[in-house]
Amino acid sequence: MKVMPLQKRGVSDSRLVLGCMGLAENWEPVPLTAEDRKRTAEAVEAALSIGITMFDHADIYCRTKSEAAFGEWLAAHPGMREKLVLQSKCGIILRDDVLPEHYNFSRDHILQSVDGILKRLGTEYLDILLLHRPDPLMEPDEIAEAFLKLSSAGKVRHFGVSNMGASQMIFLQRAISQPLVVNQLRLGLGHLDFLNQGLWVNRRDGVDVNFGEGILEYCQMEDIQLQGWGPLEQGKYTGRPVSPGDETTARTAAFVNELAGRMETTPESVVLGWLMKHPANIQPILGSVNPKRIIACQDSAKVAEQMTREDWYKLYSRARGDAMP
Ligand SMILES: NC(=O)c1ccc[n+]([C@@H]2O[C@H](COP(=O)([O-])OP(=O)(O)OC[C@H]3O[C@@H](n4cnc5c(N)ncnc54)[C@H](OP(=O)(O)O)[C@@H]3O)[C@@H](O)[C@H]2O)c1
Protein backbone atom coordinates (compact mmCIF):
# COMPACT_ATOMS: atom_id res chain seq x y z
CA MET A 1 0.00 0.00 0.00
CA LYS A 2 1.49 3.33 -1.12
CA VAL A 3 1.63 6.14 1.43
CA MET A 4 1.19 9.77 0.39
CA PRO A 5 3.54 12.43 1.78
CA LEU A 6 0.66 14.19 3.59
CA GLN A 7 -0.29 10.86 5.15
CA LYS A 8 3.30 10.28 6.32
CA ARG A 9 3.23 13.69 7.98
CA GLY A 10 -0.12 12.93 9.64
CA VAL A 11 -1.86 15.81 7.82
CA SER A 12 -4.37 13.99 5.59
CA ASP A 13 -5.08 10.53 4.27
CA SER A 14 -7.63 11.72 1.72
CA ARG A 15 -6.45 10.26 -1.60
CA LEU A 16 -8.64 12.75 -3.51
CA VAL A 17 -9.27 16.43 -2.80
CA LEU A 18 -12.38 18.35 -3.81
CA GLY A 19 -11.39 21.57 -5.59
CA CYS A 20 -13.77 24.34 -4.56
CA MET A 21 -13.21 26.78 -7.45
CA GLY A 22 -16.72 26.18 -8.83
CA LEU A 23 -18.81 26.14 -5.66
CA ALA A 24 -20.52 29.40 -6.57
CA GLU A 25 -22.10 29.91 -9.97
CA ASN A 26 -19.93 32.81 -11.11
CA TRP A 27 -17.18 35.29 -10.26
CA GLU A 28 -19.48 38.35 -10.18
CA PRO A 29 -19.19 40.56 -7.10
CA VAL A 30 -22.74 39.76 -5.99
CA PRO A 31 -23.99 38.06 -2.79
CA LEU A 32 -24.30 34.28 -2.53
CA THR A 33 -27.52 32.87 -3.93
CA ALA A 34 -29.71 29.98 -2.81
CA GLU A 35 -28.43 28.13 -5.90
CA ASP A 36 -24.79 28.64 -4.79
CA ARG A 37 -25.64 27.24 -1.35
CA LYS A 38 -27.43 24.22 -2.85
CA ARG A 39 -24.55 23.48 -5.26
CA THR A 40 -22.06 23.71 -2.40
CA ALA A 41 -24.00 21.41 -0.09
CA GLU A 42 -24.51 18.81 -2.83
CA ALA A 43 -20.86 18.85 -3.93
CA VAL A 44 -19.43 18.71 -0.40
CA GLU A 45 -21.81 15.95 0.65
CA ALA A 46 -21.09 13.89 -2.49
CA ALA A 47 -17.37 14.23 -1.76
CA LEU A 48 -17.82 13.15 1.87
CA SER A 49 -19.91 10.18 0.74
CA ILE A 50 -16.92 8.74 -1.15
CA GLY A 51 -14.42 9.41 1.64
CA ILE A 52 -13.00 12.77 0.48
CA THR A 53 -12.15 14.77 3.60
CA MET A 54 -9.84 17.38 2.11
CA PHE A 55 -11.00 20.57 0.36
CA ASP A 56 -8.97 22.98 -1.76
CA HIS A 57 -9.83 26.69 -1.76
CA ALA A 58 -8.23 29.99 -2.79
CA ASP A 59 -9.16 33.46 -1.64
CA ILE A 60 -9.89 34.41 -5.27
CA TYR A 61 -12.27 31.55 -6.18
CA CYS A 62 -15.56 33.05 -7.33
CA ARG A 63 -14.16 36.28 -5.86
CA THR A 64 -14.28 34.85 -2.30
CA LYS A 65 -17.77 33.37 -2.71
CA SER A 66 -16.51 29.76 -2.80
CA GLU A 67 -14.99 30.11 0.68
CA ALA A 68 -18.07 31.97 1.92
CA ALA A 69 -20.43 29.25 0.65
CA PHE A 70 -18.27 26.52 2.18
CA GLY A 71 -18.14 28.48 5.46
CA GLU A 72 -21.93 28.63 5.58
CA TRP A 73 -22.15 24.88 4.99
CA LEU A 74 -19.61 24.29 7.77
CA ALA A 75 -21.51 26.53 10.19
CA ALA A 76 -24.63 24.47 9.54
CA HIS A 77 -22.74 21.23 10.33
CA PRO A 78 -21.31 21.58 13.84
CA GLY A 79 -18.62 19.07 14.71
CA MET A 80 -17.44 18.67 11.10
CA ARG A 81 -14.47 21.08 11.18
CA GLU A 82 -12.12 18.71 13.00
CA LYS A 83 -12.94 15.91 10.57
CA LEU A 84 -11.87 17.96 7.53
CA VAL A 85 -8.58 19.20 6.13
CA LEU A 86 -9.00 22.70 4.70
CA GLN A 87 -6.43 24.16 2.34
CA SER A 88 -6.51 27.64 0.81
CA LYS A 89 -4.21 29.90 -1.21
CA CYS A 90 -3.30 33.54 -1.34
CA GLY A 91 -1.06 35.86 -3.34
CA ILE A 92 -3.05 36.61 -6.52
CA ILE A 93 -4.64 40.04 -6.93
CA LEU A 94 -7.43 40.05 -9.52
CA ARG A 95 -8.33 42.68 -12.08
CA ASP A 96 -11.98 43.62 -12.52
CA ASP A 97 -12.33 41.05 -15.31
CA VAL A 98 -11.01 38.40 -12.85
CA LEU A 99 -7.72 37.82 -14.65
CA PRO A 100 -4.67 38.10 -12.38
CA GLU A 101 -3.43 41.70 -12.18
CA HIS A 102 -0.38 41.03 -10.09
CA TYR A 103 0.98 38.83 -7.33
CA ASN A 104 1.67 39.85 -3.76
CA PHE A 105 3.71 37.74 -1.31
CA SER A 106 4.40 40.66 1.04
CA ARG A 107 4.17 39.94 4.75
CA ASP A 108 1.17 42.19 5.28
CA HIS A 109 -0.74 40.85 2.30
CA ILE A 110 -0.26 37.24 3.42
CA LEU A 111 -1.39 38.07 6.98
CA GLN A 112 -4.46 39.99 5.81
CA SER A 113 -5.38 37.31 3.30
CA VAL A 114 -5.35 34.59 5.94
CA ASP A 115 -7.57 36.65 8.24
CA GLY A 116 -10.05 36.99 5.36
CA ILE A 117 -9.91 33.27 4.56
CA LEU A 118 -10.49 32.25 8.19
CA LYS A 119 -13.41 34.64 8.51
CA ARG A 120 -15.11 33.40 5.32
CA LEU A 121 -14.57 29.73 6.13
CA GLY A 122 -15.71 30.35 9.72
CA THR A 123 -12.77 28.49 11.20
CA GLU A 124 -10.03 29.38 13.67
CA TYR A 125 -7.32 27.61 11.70
CA LEU A 126 -6.37 26.59 8.20
CA ASP A 127 -4.72 23.19 7.84
CA ILE A 128 -2.60 24.25 4.84
CA LEU A 129 -1.87 27.63 3.27
CA LEU A 130 -0.39 27.69 -0.26
CA LEU A 131 1.28 30.58 -2.07
CA HIS A 132 -0.79 30.52 -5.26
CA ARG A 133 1.66 31.51 -8.06
CA PRO A 134 5.30 32.63 -7.93
CA ASP A 135 5.66 36.36 -7.24
CA PRO A 136 8.80 37.66 -8.99
CA LEU A 137 9.14 40.19 -6.14
CA MET A 138 9.03 37.53 -3.41
CA GLU A 139 11.45 37.94 -0.55
CA PRO A 140 11.91 34.71 1.40
CA ASP A 141 12.65 36.44 4.73
CA GLU A 142 9.42 38.40 4.54
CA ILE A 143 7.39 35.29 3.72
CA ALA A 144 9.15 33.45 6.56
CA GLU A 145 8.13 36.21 8.98
CA ALA A 146 4.49 35.97 7.90
CA PHE A 147 4.49 32.15 8.16
CA LEU A 148 6.05 32.25 11.62
CA LYS A 149 3.43 34.71 12.82
CA LEU A 150 0.59 32.62 11.38
CA SER A 151 2.00 29.44 12.83
CA SER A 152 2.62 30.89 16.31
CA ALA A 153 -0.89 32.37 16.40
CA GLY A 154 -2.31 28.92 15.55
CA LYS A 155 -3.94 30.32 12.40
CA VAL A 156 -2.15 28.02 9.93
CA ARG A 157 -0.82 24.52 10.66
CA HIS A 158 1.14 23.77 7.47
CA PHE A 159 2.47 25.68 4.47
CA GLY A 160 3.09 24.96 0.81
CA VAL A 161 3.23 26.42 -2.67
CA SER A 162 1.51 26.12 -6.01
CA ASN A 163 2.86 26.31 -9.57
CA MET A 164 6.47 26.53 -8.40
CA GLY A 165 9.68 24.98 -9.66
CA ALA A 166 12.10 23.02 -7.48
CA SER A 167 14.64 25.83 -7.30
CA GLN A 168 11.98 28.30 -6.18
CA MET A 169 10.97 25.93 -3.40
CA ILE A 170 14.58 25.47 -2.32
CA PHE A 171 15.06 29.25 -2.38
CA LEU A 172 12.05 29.78 -0.08
CA GLN A 173 12.73 26.80 2.16
CA ARG A 174 16.17 28.15 3.11
CA ALA A 175 14.45 31.05 4.92
CA ILE A 176 11.22 29.42 6.12
CA SER A 177 11.40 27.43 9.35
CA GLN A 178 8.32 25.27 8.69
CA PRO A 179 8.63 22.54 6.01
CA LEU A 180 6.85 23.27 2.73
CA VAL A 181 4.53 20.27 2.50
CA VAL A 182 2.67 20.76 -0.81
CA ASN A 183 3.30 21.84 -4.40
CA GLN A 184 0.10 22.08 -6.49
CA LEU A 185 0.65 22.02 -10.26
CA ARG A 186 -1.27 21.32 -13.44
CA LEU A 187 -0.83 17.55 -13.83
CA GLY A 188 -3.03 15.24 -15.86
CA LEU A 189 -3.55 13.07 -18.91
CA GLY A 190 -4.08 16.15 -21.08
CA HIS A 191 -1.07 18.05 -19.65
CA LEU A 192 1.75 15.57 -19.97
CA ASP A 193 4.80 17.80 -19.80
CA PHE A 194 5.39 16.69 -16.21
CA LEU A 195 6.23 13.25 -17.65
CA ASN A 196 7.50 14.25 -21.09
CA GLN A 197 10.15 16.46 -19.48
CA GLY A 198 11.93 13.37 -18.17
CA LEU A 199 11.91 11.63 -21.56
CA TRP A 200 14.09 14.13 -23.37
CA VAL A 201 17.34 14.08 -21.42
CA ASN A 202 20.21 14.19 -23.89
CA ARG A 203 17.93 14.54 -26.92
CA ARG A 204 17.24 17.43 -29.26
CA ASP A 205 13.50 16.75 -29.49
CA GLY A 206 11.16 18.09 -26.86
CA VAL A 207 12.31 21.71 -26.89
CA ASP A 208 8.70 22.80 -26.44
CA VAL A 209 8.21 20.73 -23.28
CA ASN A 210 7.26 23.13 -20.53
CA PHE A 211 7.72 21.71 -17.05
CA GLY A 212 10.41 22.78 -14.60
CA GLU A 213 13.25 20.28 -14.42
CA GLY A 214 13.50 18.23 -11.25
CA ILE A 215 10.16 19.19 -9.65
CA LEU A 216 8.90 15.60 -9.43
CA GLU A 217 12.21 14.31 -8.11
CA TYR A 218 12.67 17.12 -5.56
CA CYS A 219 9.15 16.73 -4.17
CA GLN A 220 9.54 12.96 -3.89
CA MET A 221 12.93 13.27 -2.17
CA GLU A 222 11.61 15.80 0.36
CA ASP A 223 8.23 14.13 0.99
CA ILE A 224 6.40 17.10 -0.49
CA GLN A 225 2.86 16.31 -1.59
CA LEU A 226 2.37 16.86 -5.31
CA GLN A 227 -1.20 17.85 -6.04
CA GLY A 228 -2.59 17.86 -9.58
CA TRP A 229 -5.08 20.56 -10.51
CA GLY A 230 -7.30 20.12 -13.55
CA PRO A 231 -7.03 16.29 -13.37
CA LEU A 232 -10.36 15.57 -15.10
CA GLU A 233 -9.17 17.74 -18.00
CA GLN A 234 -12.63 19.34 -18.03
CA GLY A 235 -14.08 16.03 -19.21
CA LYS A 236 -11.85 15.82 -22.32
CA TYR A 237 -11.61 12.00 -22.09
CA THR A 238 -14.74 11.29 -20.05
CA GLY A 239 -17.70 12.23 -22.18
CA ARG A 240 -17.31 15.82 -23.35
CA PRO A 241 -17.81 15.88 -27.13
CA VAL A 242 -14.51 15.56 -29.03
CA SER A 243 -13.83 18.20 -31.73
CA PRO A 244 -14.13 16.77 -35.27
CA GLY A 245 -10.71 15.67 -36.55
CA ASP A 246 -9.08 15.45 -33.10
CA GLU A 247 -8.02 11.84 -33.51
CA THR A 248 -5.59 11.85 -30.56
CA THR A 249 -8.32 12.81 -28.08
CA ALA A 250 -10.86 10.45 -29.69
CA ARG A 251 -8.44 7.48 -29.51
CA THR A 252 -7.50 8.33 -25.92
CA ALA A 253 -11.12 8.68 -24.81
CA ALA A 254 -11.94 5.36 -26.51
CA PHE A 255 -9.11 3.63 -24.61
CA VAL A 256 -10.24 5.25 -21.32
CA ASN A 257 -13.69 3.75 -21.99
CA GLU A 258 -12.23 0.36 -22.85
CA LEU A 259 -10.24 0.33 -19.59
CA ALA A 260 -13.28 1.45 -17.60
CA GLY A 261 -15.24 -1.47 -19.06
CA ARG A 262 -12.44 -3.96 -18.37
CA MET A 263 -11.90 -2.68 -14.81
CA GLU A 264 -15.65 -2.41 -14.16
CA THR A 265 -15.46 1.24 -13.24
CA THR A 266 -16.05 4.73 -14.67
CA PRO A 267 -13.95 6.75 -17.16
CA GLU A 268 -13.39 9.39 -14.42
CA SER A 269 -11.81 6.82 -12.09
CA VAL A 270 -9.56 5.61 -14.94
CA VAL A 271 -8.31 9.12 -15.75
CA LEU A 272 -7.60 9.90 -12.08
CA GLY A 273 -6.23 6.42 -11.32
CA TRP A 274 -3.75 6.77 -14.20
CA LEU A 275 -2.40 9.96 -12.58
CA MET A 276 -2.34 8.38 -9.11
CA LYS A 277 -0.32 5.38 -10.27
CA HIS A 278 2.72 7.66 -10.58
CA PRO A 279 5.17 6.83 -7.74
CA ALA A 280 4.97 10.40 -6.39
CA ASN A 281 1.50 9.53 -5.01
CA ILE A 282 -0.06 12.59 -6.64
CA GLN A 283 -3.24 13.87 -5.00
CA PRO A 284 -5.74 14.93 -7.71
CA ILE A 285 -7.74 18.10 -6.98
CA LEU A 286 -10.96 17.37 -8.82
CA GLY A 287 -12.99 20.38 -9.81
CA SER A 288 -16.43 18.95 -10.47
CA VAL A 289 -19.41 20.23 -8.51
CA ASN A 290 -21.75 17.68 -10.07
CA PRO A 291 -22.54 15.05 -7.39
CA LYS A 292 -22.81 12.21 -9.93
CA ARG A 293 -19.44 13.09 -11.44
CA ILE A 294 -17.82 13.36 -8.02
CA ILE A 295 -19.14 9.92 -7.08
CA ALA A 296 -17.86 8.57 -10.42
CA CYS A 297 -14.34 9.28 -9.12
CA GLN A 298 -14.65 6.88 -6.19
CA ASP A 299 -12.69 3.95 -7.65
CA SER A 300 -9.65 5.97 -8.65
CA ALA A 301 -7.33 4.67 -5.89
CA LYS A 302 -8.33 1.10 -6.72
CA VAL A 303 -7.66 1.74 -10.42
CA ALA A 304 -4.23 3.15 -9.51
CA GLU A 305 -3.40 -0.08 -7.69
CA GLN A 306 -4.74 -2.40 -10.37
CA MET A 307 -3.73 -0.69 -13.63
CA THR A 308 -0.93 -2.63 -15.32
CA ARG A 309 2.30 -0.97 -16.40
CA GLU A 310 1.37 -1.85 -20.02
CA ASP A 311 -2.02 -0.13 -19.82
CA TRP A 312 -0.52 2.88 -18.02
CA TYR A 313 1.98 3.33 -20.86
CA LYS A 314 -0.63 2.67 -23.53
CA LEU A 315 -2.80 5.46 -22.12
CA TYR A 316 0.20 7.77 -21.80
CA SER A 317 1.27 7.27 -25.41
CA ARG A 318 -2.30 7.53 -26.74
CA ALA A 319 -2.67 10.90 -24.97
CA ARG A 320 0.80 12.01 -26.15
CA GLY A 321 -0.34 11.22 -29.68
CA ASP A 322 3.07 9.71 -30.22
CA ALA A 323 5.04 6.59 -29.37
CA MET A 324 7.69 6.65 -26.67
CA PRO A 325 11.04 8.04 -27.91
N1 LIG B 1 -3.31 26.04 -8.17
C1 LIG B 1 -3.82 26.55 -9.26
O1 LIG B 1 -3.24 27.42 -9.92
C2 LIG B 1 -5.15 26.07 -9.71
C3 LIG B 1 -5.67 26.46 -10.97
C4 LIG B 1 -6.93 25.97 -11.34
C5 LIG B 1 -7.64 25.11 -10.51
N2 LIG B 1 -7.11 24.76 -9.27
C6 LIG B 1 -7.83 23.82 -8.36
O2 LIG B 1 -8.06 22.61 -9.04
C7 LIG B 1 -9.46 22.28 -9.03
C8 LIG B 1 -9.83 21.54 -10.28
O3 LIG B 1 -9.59 22.32 -11.43
P1 LIG B 1 -10.51 22.22 -12.72
O4 LIG B 1 -11.89 22.56 -12.36
O5 LIG B 1 -9.82 22.97 -13.79
O6 LIG B 1 -10.37 20.70 -13.06
P2 LIG B 1 -11.10 19.42 -13.58
O7 LIG B 1 -11.43 18.57 -12.42
O8 LIG B 1 -10.23 18.89 -14.62
O9 LIG B 1 -12.42 19.91 -14.32
C9 LIG B 1 -13.62 20.13 -13.66
C10 LIG B 1 -14.54 20.87 -14.60
O10 LIG B 1 -14.74 20.08 -15.77
C11 LIG B 1 -16.13 19.83 -15.94
N3 LIG B 1 -16.28 18.44 -16.44
C12 LIG B 1 -15.69 17.32 -15.97
N4 LIG B 1 -16.09 16.25 -16.69
C13 LIG B 1 -16.95 16.72 -17.62
C14 LIG B 1 -17.69 16.10 -18.67
N5 LIG B 1 -17.62 14.78 -18.90
N6 LIG B 1 -18.47 16.87 -19.44
C15 LIG B 1 -18.55 18.21 -19.21
N7 LIG B 1 -17.88 18.86 -18.23
C16 LIG B 1 -17.08 18.13 -17.45
C17 LIG B 1 -16.73 19.98 -14.55
O11 LIG B 1 -18.10 20.29 -14.67
P3 LIG B 1 -19.12 19.77 -13.53
O12 LIG B 1 -18.87 20.64 -12.34
O13 LIG B 1 -20.43 19.99 -14.17
O14 LIG B 1 -18.81 18.34 -13.27
C18 LIG B 1 -15.90 21.11 -14.00
O15 LIG B 1 -16.36 22.36 -14.48
C19 LIG B 1 -10.16 23.62 -8.82
O16 LIG B 1 -11.44 23.47 -8.24
C20 LIG B 1 -9.20 24.32 -7.89
O17 LIG B 1 -9.43 23.89 -6.56
C21 LIG B 1 -5.87 25.21 -8.89
Side-chain angles (χ1 to χ4, degrees):
M1 173 82 176
K2 298 203 295 181
V3 182
M4 296 186 308
L6 283 184
Q7 211 170 347
K8 276 195 204 168
R9 293 180 192 270
V11 180
S12 172
D13 58 5
S14 193
R15 236 5 225 106
L16 298 174
V17 177
L18 186 73
C20 295
M21 191 166 71
L23 289 187
E25 191 190 355
N26 58 46
W27 291 56
E28 299 299 318
V30 294
L32 284 178
T33 63
E35 189 49 44
D36 293 335
R37 294 184 178 96
K38 182 168 174 278
R39 182 186 299 99
T40 298
E42 287 177 356
V44 171
E45 283 158 26
L48 292 171
S49 78
I50 61 161
I52 295 178
T53 52
M54 184 163 172
F55 296 84
D56 178 68
H57 289 272
D59 54 358
I60 57 169
Y61 290 166
C62 299
R63 274 189 209 266
T64 69
K65 284 189 288 180
S66 293
E67 286 177 340
F70 191 95
E72 285 194 13
W73 180 87
L74 202 54
H77 293 80
M80 277 309 286
R81 173 63 187 98
E82 288 67 38
K83 297 182 178 146
L84 306 180
V85 172
L86 303 187
Q87 169 174 284
S88 191
K89 320 183 193 75
C90 70
I92 297 183
I93 313 293
L94 295 179
R95 293 193 320 214
D96 285 347
D97 57 5
V98 302
L99 289 170
E101 180 175 271
H102 64 270
Y103 307 120
N104 190 344
F105 287 1
S106 69
R107 173 186 172 281
D108 288 352
H109 181 74
I110 294 172
L111 295 176
Q112 279 164 20
S113 303
V114 170
D115 284 344
I117 292 167
L118 295 181
K119 192 163 174 219
R120 286 188 292 278
L121 289 175
T123 177
E124 287 175 2
Y125 68 94
L126 204 53
D127 294 279
I128 310 178
L129 175 73
L130 307 185
L131 299 172
H132 206 151
R133 275 194 177 278
D135 173 5
L137 298 180
M138 66 187 171
E139 299 199 29
D141 290 340
E142 208 183 333
I143 296 170
E145 214 184 305
F147 283 9
L148 191 58
K149 225 168 168 221
L150 291 168
S151 176
S152 330
K155 291 182 179 180
V156 177
R157 296 192 170 168
H158 305 277
F159 299 89
V161 299
S162 177
N163 304 303
M164 281 205 196
S167 51
Q168 289 168 313
M169 292 193 80
I170 294 166
F171 178 58
L172 290 180
Q173 189 65 84
R174 280 192 67 224
I176 295 171
S177 37
Q178 301 82 4
L180 295 170
V181 300
V182 165
N183 190 4
Q184 186 178 119
L185 298 141
R186 176 134 221 191
L187 309 171
L189 195 54
H191 288 80
L192 290 168
D193 280 356
F194 75 106
L195 299 176
N196 293 338
Q197 197 266 336
L199 296 180
W200 300 115
V201 176
N202 211 22
R203 293 177 66 108
R204 282 185 190 281
D205 340 39
V207 282
D208 59 345
V209 169
N210 180 18
F211 194 79
E213 197 174 342
I215 299 177
L216 296 188
E217 292 80 2
Y218 175 70
C219 290
Q220 287 176 91
M221 283 190 307
E222 298 297 325
D223 272 337
I224 294 164
Q225 183 67 56
L226 280 159
Q227 297 179 337
W229 63 263
L232 289 173
E233 302 293 353
Q234 312 277 313
K236 185 174 179 183
Y237 308 114
T238 54
R240 213 180 64 198
V242 177
S243 310
D246 183 355
E247 282 308 310
T248 300
T249 301
R251 279 167 43 84
T252 309
F255 190 55
V256 166
N257 262 322
E258 182 191 320
L259 282 177
R262 251 202 274 145
M263 300 180 90
E264 298 181 344
T265 185
T266 59
E268 284 82 358
S269 287
V270 169
V271 166
L272 298 181
W274 175 86
L275 182 64
M276 292 157 75
K277 187 174 169 65
H278 189 279
N281 286 317
I282 294 164
Q283 217 181 11
I285 314 283
L286 52 111
S288 176
V289 292
N290 173 331
K292 278 197 188 132
R293 216 171 336 260
I294 294 170
I295 290 168
C297 300
Q298 70 183 327
D299 289 340
S300 46
K302 192 179 83 187
V303 169
E305 273 174 33
Q306 294 179 354
M307 187 179 282
T308 63
R309 180 174 283 259
E310 289 71 25
D311 283 338
W312 187 88
Y313 266 106
K314 221 184 223 182
L315 197 44
Y316 176 23
S317 66
R318 289 269 169 108
R320 273 168 55 81
D322 204 356
M324 292 297 132

